Amino acid sequence: MNGDKRKNIVYLILIAGRKLQGSLLDFLSDEDAKVVHILYGKGAASAKPSLVEAFGFTPEENKVIITCVLTREKADYVLGLLVRKYKFDKPNTGIAFTISVDGLSF
């Protein structure tokens, strides 16, 4: 794969409640996401003081982790829409971030 093409590709990682799984998959499909993977997560945080408490997070169970590949432009659009549509900028709604894949070798 040409290195210049990889500079425009990112790997999106999205963590949210399982109740949003269907809606998020439809949304990513509409945005032409490729190589979509779904993992199911279960929170393992304890009730003891921990980093979870220090950062003010609320331990939750039944999460879905969705990963996919998008162009950088689409990923920027998707991240913005996750804030506007799914309120990812509010606590306990979801987390999403991208990782550049331009340093990978195929």
Side-chain angles (χ1 to χ4, degrees), residues 71-84:
T71 63
R72 187 173 304 277
E73 293 82 19
K74 279 285 188 184
D76 290 343
Y77 176 75
V78 165
L79 290 172
L81 213 54
L82 288 171
V83 170
R84 290 189 302 277

Side-chain angles (χ1 to χ4, degrees), residues 23-81:
S23 177
L24 289 169
L25 289 174
D26 289 344
F27 165 64
L28 291 171
S29 177
D30 291 345
E31 298 305 327
D32 204 26
K34 306 291 187 205
V35 195
V36 179
H37 289 108
I38 302 165
L39 304 167
Y40 295 106
K42 182 176 181 179
S46 69
K48 297 178 183 176
S50 65
L51 285 176
V52 172
E53 187 175 284
F55 286 106
F57 297 144
T58 303
E60 296 180 41
E61 296 183 355
N62 301 322
K63 295 294 184 189
V64 63
I65 303 165
I66 302 172
T67 65
C68 65
V69 175
L70 292 166
T71 63
R72 187 173 304 277
E73 293 82 19
K74 279 285 188 184
D76 290 343
Y77 176 75
V78 165
L79 290 172
L81 213 54

Side-chain angles (χ1 to χ4, degrees), residues 84-106:
R84 290 189 302 277
K85 184 174 179 181
Y86 295 97
K87 309 297 182 200
F88 270 37
D89 58 335
K90 305 293 182 198
N92 304 315
T93 53
I95 298 171
F97 56 95
T98 61
I99 299 172
S100 177
V101 298
D102 63 346
L104 295 179
S105 178
F106 296 97

